[in-house]
Amino acid sequence: MFAEKAVKLYKKGHQEGADVEEFKAELIELLFDYAALVMIQVLAYLRDEYDINVSPLNEEELTSMFYSKDGKTIFDRIDEYVKTDNLITYTYKVYRLLRTETVVLANGIVFQKLKKLFKYARIKVCDCCGGCGDQLGILASWTLCENVSIFDLPPLHPECHCIVEFSNDKSKPSVPQKEM
């Protein structure tokens, strides 16, 4: 569904006389549609794993969850993407943005909701992305939640799938380890 929408947007946005601002607005809308689906899954995870029921974030709260360690906002990236003249490059960049921002959103929501309930947090490295071990920072081992900022959370690189886990006991994770 998102693939077709992204390609249609690209073609529409690159027609002669196309309105670039409309193209950007539609791309941002696509991102928020995707984020809404991610949020549903994250809220279900919080309910199932931690027995926490929380309400969905509104658009302003969602936007505040998108951060960037390199100083670029998600909107800066979209400004770059709409200028891409190659459909394959554009599609790859949009998918990478969606996947990476999915991890930002999921880890951000989980962290915001659980940091008050648990004493410690650490990064659980995903086997699928590799190379994250040397980038873990303070979350390489159990760290007091109060010492962790949103900038310490994964993703550690584009397409990173690492997650944050929580515990009140440094010797073990708070939830059973699951295969990712």
Side-chain angles (χ1 to χ4, degrees), residues 91-110:
T91 304
Y92 168 74
K93 286 181 176 184
V94 169
Y95 284 141
R96 187 178 78 182
L97 178 75
L98 290 174
R99 287 190 301 268
T100 302
E101 294 301 331
T102 296
V103 175
V104 168
L105 182 62
N107 283 327
I109 292 170
V110 169

Side-chain angles (χ1 to χ4, degrees), residues 141-156:
S141 61
W142 289 114
T143 303
L144 287 171
C145 288
E146 63 192 41
N147 295 335
V148 178
S149 84
I150 197 163
F151 294 104
D152 297 319
L153 305 176
L156 305 173

Side-chain angles (χ1 to χ4, degrees), residues 3-16:
E4 294 86 17
K5 283 185 178 181
V7 170
K8 283 180 185 176
L9 278 178
Y10 177 86
K11 289 179 179 177
K12 179 180 174 185
H14 283 80
Q15 292 174 352
E16 192 171 322

Side-chain angles (χ1 to χ4, degrees), residues 50-107:
Y50 295 97
D51 198 26
I52 296 173
N53 287 308
V54 292
S55 56
L57 303 175
N58 62 37
E59 192 169 306
E60 184 178 318
E61 291 169 317
L62 269 176
T63 302
S64 73
M65 298 302 274
F66 296 123
Y67 66 87
S68 179
K69 293 178 185 180
D70 66 2
K72 289 184 179 179
T73 68
I74 193 166
F75 304 106
D76 294 334
R77 295 190 197 293
I78 288 173
D79 280 340
E80 291 173 13
Y81 298 168
V82 298
K83 297 173 189 169
T84 304
D85 289 329
N86 179 299
L87 176 60
I88 294 170
T89 303
Y90 161 84
T91 304
Y92 168 74
K93 286 181 176 184
V94 169
Y95 284 141
R96 187 178 78 182
L97 178 75
L98 290 174
R99 287 190 301 268
T100 302
E101 294 301 331
T102 296
V103 175
V104 168
L105 182 62
N107 283 327

